[in-house]
Amino acid sequence: MTDYDTRKLQCHCCGKTSEHSVLMSSNSFGSRDLDQRPPKMYRWTIASWLQECPYCGYVAPSIDKGDAKARSFLDTAEFRAASLDPAPDPVSRRFLVRAAQHAYDGERRSAFLSTLSAAWVADDSNRPSDAAALRLRAAGHLEGPRITSIDTRLLLLDVLRRASSWEAAEALTAELTAEELDYPFAEIVAFHRDKIAARDDQRHTIGQALEGKPPPPVAVKDPELLKAIARHIKIVPNPRRTGP
């Protein structure tokens, strides 16, 4: 179940008050997509992930919060350009404004993720050409110094595949394969490799990539540690995750 509340918030940047719908709770059941897009019902709350001040245009998860950099960004050409972005819907544009702020602050991964969220909006609106263009735009935020994070590179791999950027996807697949990754990363890379070879640019989930591929057994040499782990599993429930 998803719950919202309507609240009046004072903008961190201009100080004016406006009314906003605030997401109070939601849930997600099922496997995330390979680009970490959450399953329903949480994926349907995307319009509430960012707020926008109707007076100054400040965009944030909650416009009553921010820092000095957020205020200074509003005076930049980058903010003005992002605010005038011809995105076909306000939700996508909010993510692109947020991406521009992250890029201005030098936060490449955050700019990448915000732009990817805009692509998810295009997916839901059945605009595959826009979604592909936004994915390539997201990938552009990661250009520059080499990315070492496996997590970020796996996200980028899915972004390139979904955007039909086959040459770049094949190069990244080869790079990751050469690193001899452990479970589940190696299995996800292999899944991508097969889909890229088939020129498959469709949405797939992490569950699909790991289907029929259980994690390898872990040898525990300390029997007392094994007992402690068993007790922990019995006592501590497995919480259901509700976040993005």
Side-chain angles (χ1 to χ4, degrees):
M1 184 176 180
T2 300
D3 292 314
Y4 295 91
D5 188 22
T6 300
R7 294 182 178 177
K8 290 184 177 181
L9 301 174
Q10 184 179 34
C11 178
H12 167 76
C13 290
C14 71
K16 295 183 179 179
T17 300
S18 55
E19 203 169 77
H20 296 268
S21 179
V22 178
L23 177 66
M24 303 303 294
S25 65
S26 188
N27 57 66
S28 57
F29 297 102
S31 177
R32 286 177 175 254
D33 291 353
L34 285 166
D35 63 1
Q36 290 295 318
R37 185 185 185 194
K40 57 182 183 183
M41 301 173 57
Y42 192 83
R43 70 190 295 166
W44 294 335
T45 67
I46 192 168
S48 66
W49 294 1
L50 291 176
Q51 299 170 354
E52 180 178 11
C53 175
Y55 299 103
C56 68
Y58 175 51
V59 173
S62 184
I63 62 164
D64 59 339
K65 297 179 176 62
D67 53 22
K69 290 192 299 182
R71 291 193 180 99
S72 62
F73 176 67
L74 298 191
D75 295 325
T76 66
E78 287 83 354
F79 168 72
R80 290 189 290 274
S83 297
L84 296 174
D85 193 285
D89 61 76
V91 180
S92 287
R93 188 181 53 77
R94 287 199 295 271
F95 281 112
L96 295 177
V97 172
R98 188 66 172 173
Q101 181 177 342
H102 288 311
Y104 184 79
D105 292 337
E107 300 169 358
R108 290 196 299 162
R109 177 182 162 88
S110 294
F112 165 75
L113 293 175
S114 290
T115 309
L116 178 56
S117 293
W120 295 346
V121 176
D123 287 335
D124 275 343
S125 301
N126 195 27
R127 302 195 316 271
S129 296
D130 289 343
L134 286 166
R135 283 184 165 87
L136 290 177
R137 189 166 168 178
H141 285 296
L142 296 180
E143 293 177 353
R146 182 179 180 274
I147 303 162
T148 57
S149 164
I150 293 174
D151 175 59
T152 301
R153 285 185 291 161
L154 285 177
L155 291 176
L156 177 59
L157 180 57
D158 190 69
V159 163
L160 295 172
R161 182 185 62 80
R162 294 290 308 277
S164 301
S165 185
W166 304 119
E167 185 175 342
E170 287 169 347
L172 183 52
T173 299
E175 174 187 312
L176 289 164
T177 301
E179 294 180 18
E180 299 181 354
L181 303 173
D182 293 329
Y183 182 94
F185 309 117
E187 285 71 15
I188 292 174
V189 172
F191 182 85
H192 275 297
R193 185 172 57 243
D194 292 343
K195 297 303 177 184
I196 292 167
R199 294 301 188 254
D200 180 345
D201 61 1
Q202 299 302 300
R203 179 181 71 88
H204 295 288
T205 67
I206 296 172
Q208 287 175 304
L210 300 180
E211 187 175 3
K213 301 171 184 175
V218 179
V220 180
K221 297 181 180 180
D222 186 341
E224 293 303 316
L225 175 59
L226 182 59
K227 290 178 183 178
I229 293 172
R231 285 196 302 270
H232 180 75
I233 293 173
K234 277 187 177 182
I235 295 170
V236 180
N238 183 20
R240 289 178 178 171
R241 188 174 178 180
T242 59

